[in-house]
Amino acid sequence: MTYVVTEACIQCKYTDCVTVCPMDCFFEGPNFLVIHPDECIDCSICVAECPVGAIVSDQDVTPEQQVYLELNRTLSETPGWTRISRQKAPLPDHEYWATQTGKLALLKQD
Ligand code: SF4
Ligand code: SF4
């Protein structure tokens, strides 16, 4: 079992989540964060910290969110994606993007 970052995080990256993770298992790309599934200890602390509800248990992913299971694994091991444990400012226009759907096409993977 692991927790998974899903679409709502794309273009927002509030990073509230990273400050509470006891394993420091969040990784950061240009416009998205992911959780390394082999390092997450399923404590669920980060879930309540995310203001846009982007973090879900792998047991609860919807059919539309299935793609994020693999994306969290592959991107957390992609060169250039770096471990993040300190909060930083969210991306510009994050308030607009927080309410948008269909953002997968905007995900920058490298
Ligand atoms: S708090 Fe939510 S939106 Fe912000 S970086 Fe974490 S998962 Fe992404
Ligand atoms: S569930 Fe716990 S260990 Fe996993 S990413 Fe969230 S805070 Fe970190």
Side-chain angles (χ1 to χ4, degrees):
M1 191 180 156
T2 181
Y3 280 77
V4 181
V5 184
T6 62
E7 180 181 284
C9 180
I10 295 173
Q11 298 281 70
C12 296
K13 247 180 27 171
Y14 286 99
T15 70
D16 301 54
C17 54
V18 305
T19 62
V20 299
C21 179
M23 302 303 290
D24 292 341
C25 59
F26 282 90
F27 288 76
E28 179 187 20
N31 64 349
F32 189 48
L33 260 63
V34 292
I35 293 169
H36 195 305
D38 295 338
E39 298 183 11
C40 175
I41 58 170
D42 314 327
C43 69
S44 81
I45 296 173
C46 57
V47 173
E49 297 300 317
C50 178
V52 291
I55 305 172
V56 298
S57 164
D58 64 355
Q59 309 291 302
D60 297 330
V61 292
T62 64
E64 297 75 31
Q65 292 172 331
Q66 283 286 332
V67 64
Y68 291 93
L69 290 171
E70 189 60 23
L71 281 171
N72 274 247
R73 173 172 293 282
T74 56
L75 294 176
S76 63
E77 296 174 345
T78 295
W81 284 65
T82 53
R83 196 179 294 275
I84 174 172
S85 55
R86 290 197 183 155
Q87 187 164 21
K88 57 167 67 172
L91 291 175
D93 302 324
H94 59 91
E95 290 179 345
Y96 167 77
W97 287 110
T99 59
Q100 304 303 304
T101 56
K103 296 190 288 182
L104 181 56
L106 300 173
L107 174 59
K108 297 174 183 167
Q109 301 196 24
D110 51 30

